[in-house]
Amino acid sequence: MPTEKEIVLSGIRATGNLHLGNYYGALRNFVKMQEDYDCNYFIADLHALTTTPDPKMLHENVRNILAEYLAAGVDPDKATIFVQSDVPEVSEMYLLLNMHVGIGELLRTASFKDKARKQLGLNPNDESEDIERQIVGSDSNKRVNAGLLTYPTLMAVDILIQKARKVPVGKDQEQHLELTRRFARRFNSFYNVDLFPEPENFNFGSASVKVPGLDGSGKMGKSEGNCIYLVDDEKVLRKKVMRAVTDQGPQEPGSPISEPVENLLTLMALTSGPEVVQQYRDAYADCSIRYGDLKKQLAEDILKVTTPIRERYLDIRSDDEYLAKVVRQGAEKARERASRTLEEVRKAMGIIKFY
Ligand code: TRP
């Protein structure tokens, strides 16, 4: 009997284009995993609604990410690629699972507090504000939407409805995964069933990489405005790299490398390989480093990675027929398993049809 492949599931929110952080943190591994696992990759358009409900942009964003998945090498004949909202079973199970989720545990989720602070117009870095009181007191114009609060329920359903065991995500999603495991255990034990396996984070091959931004500190992130997008054209990309923050240069031999320069070397390690990085480390150590050269090399090597992706992206993105075919095929597969799970959930909960 052939052994069944383990189920992998991951999704990316449809809020814009993908950057190098997404590529090295997620997409590249998505491609590697599709050979050995039952891979399911989706575009989380419902999750995007919790923060950016823009009807004009939403569909464009879904299309962008879909085309980027494909351009980066995710193969629809190997992996299941689908759009979250194409699987309506997810929405129904989200309602059902919410009956077993505590408001308190959702209120305490770090990502919720961050985003709620933003929606209330509070200082996102000021954790001293009593956020729960602010939320209860907020008027309906300046509200924190309930969808944001229940974001972890929806994410748990994405995972549990496919019975996925392996969920490749960044460190920032660890708390959501922990909640997913807790909800799975809770459901299983409350109804005395064995429906849901507990999913775990999964970094294929190497440890998870943190991709730094170009602004000297912190990781690459869309809201930080420090990104290189996979679909940046050559001119834009070179300009961004040439403008990246560095320092005044090593003042004496053997100086420790400053954070901004270390960040560029981290990017270089991903795109150019260890020998090239060593060369610049040595040059930093003996004070012969020239940041102009480093940046030129970095831009060149990033372009080697992104250019083929960008070219495929431009072809794919306008191919309506192909995109439709991919997501239709993906939705069919995703719904098959989702509808089976939903039936089991309804039955466990006592929702039984008369006819
Ligand atoms: N919350 C994830 C993020 O922001 C996206 C996501 C939604 C997801 N549902 C998921 C990731 C299910 C993995 C599995 O990155």
Side-chain angles (χ1 to χ4, degrees), residues 9-11 13 42 44 47 151 155 158-159 167 169 173 176:
L9 173 110
S10 195
R13 286 193 325 134
F42 70 100
H47 274 114
Y151 185 114
M155 177 158 163
D158 291 329
I159 297 166
V167 183
V169 283
Q173 298 297 310
H176 291 148

Side-chain angles (χ1 to χ4, degrees), residues 4-281:
E4 281 205 13
K5 288 183 179 175
E6 269 192 300
I7 302 172
V8 165
L9 173 110
S10 195
I12 297 182
R13 286 193 325 134
T15 54
N17 282 105
L18 301 183
H19 50 70
L20 276 187
N22 300 125
Y23 180 71
Y24 285 106
L27 217 44
R28 197 177 53 155
N29 290 336
F30 288 6
V31 175
K32 288 190 203 150
M33 282 183 287
Q34 63 189 354
E35 307 297 334
D36 299 322
Y37 295 89
D38 173 347
C39 287
N40 300 266
Y41 304 126
F42 70 100
I43 300 144
D45 55 347
L46 300 176
H47 274 114
L49 289 172
T50 61
T51 52
T52 39
D54 178 344
K56 278 205 219 72
M57 285 313 295
L58 185 60
H59 186 68
E60 290 307 301
N61 288 337
V62 172
R63 178 186 285 266
N64 289 346
I65 294 181
L66 176 60
E68 281 161 340
Y69 274 161
L70 295 163
V74 179
D75 179 346
D77 292 325
K78 292 180 182 154
T80 302
I81 307 172
F82 63 101
V83 180
Q84 188 181 30
S85 62
D86 277 346
V87 183
E89 289 80 5
V90 165
S91 299
E92 183 174 344
M93 185 172 148
Y94 160 72
L95 181 149
L96 297 174
L97 187 64
N98 259 332
M99 305 305 170
H100 289 278
V101 171
I103 299 171
E105 54 194 346
L106 294 174
L107 280 168
R108 287 191 297 273
T109 309
S111 62
F112 171 72
K113 289 207 231 175
D114 284 352
K115 289 177 180 164
R117 264 190 208 100
K118 281 193 196 128
Q119 293 192 357
L120 287 170
L122 303 174
N123 179 354
N125 300 318
D126 185 359
E127 297 184 6
S128 70
E129 306 236 32
D130 183 348
I131 184 82
E132 282 100 41
R133 273 219 359 236
Q134 300 259 4
I135 291 169
V136 173
S138 62
D139 67 39
S140 52
N141 291 322
K142 220 182 181 192
R143 61 191 174 273
V144 175
N145 72 68
L148 189 65
L149 181 67
T150 54
Y151 185 114
T153 314
L154 184 57
M155 177 158 163
V157 170
D158 291 329
I159 297 166
L160 299 178
I161 207 166
Q162 300 295 340
K163 300 195 178 179
R165 280 179 195 280
K166 296 204 161 0
V167 183
V169 283
K171 258 202 151 39
D172 60 324
Q173 298 297 310
E174 194 49 64
Q175 197 178 21
H176 291 148
L177 268 186
E178 188 56 51
L179 285 169
T180 304
R181 286 191 283 273
R182 203 197 293 165
F183 299 160
R185 281 196 295 276
R186 186 179 295 164
F187 191 98
N188 284 345
S189 86
F190 187 90
Y191 292 108
N192 196 19
V193 289
D194 189 17
L195 271 187
F196 301 123
E198 288 185 31
E200 57 180 15
N201 197 348
F202 177 58
N203 288 303
F204 187 74
S206 53
S208 66
V209 285
K210 185 182 135 197
V211 181
L214 296 174
D215 53 353
S217 69
K219 68 172 196 171
M220 192 175 283
K222 191 158 39 83
S223 49
E224 326 304 328
N226 61 6
C227 293
I228 294 172
Y229 291 99
L230 292 177
V231 298
D232 278 342
D233 71 32
E234 197 175 323
K235 224 170 119 199
V236 169
L237 194 147
R238 282 186 203 280
K239 213 178 198 168
K240 283 185 182 174
V241 175
M242 294 317 284
R243 283 194 188 150
V245 175
T246 52
D247 59 17
Q248 296 171 333
Q251 303 299 307
E252 52 186 72
S255 306
I257 300 184
S258 67
E259 191 183 353
V261 175
E262 197 57 72
N263 283 350
L264 295 184
L265 293 176
T266 303
L267 280 174
M268 211 170 214
L270 293 168
T271 56
S272 319
E275 316 80 44
V276 184
V277 176
Q278 194 53 47
Q279 190 189 317
Y280 284 98
R281 280 193 191 286

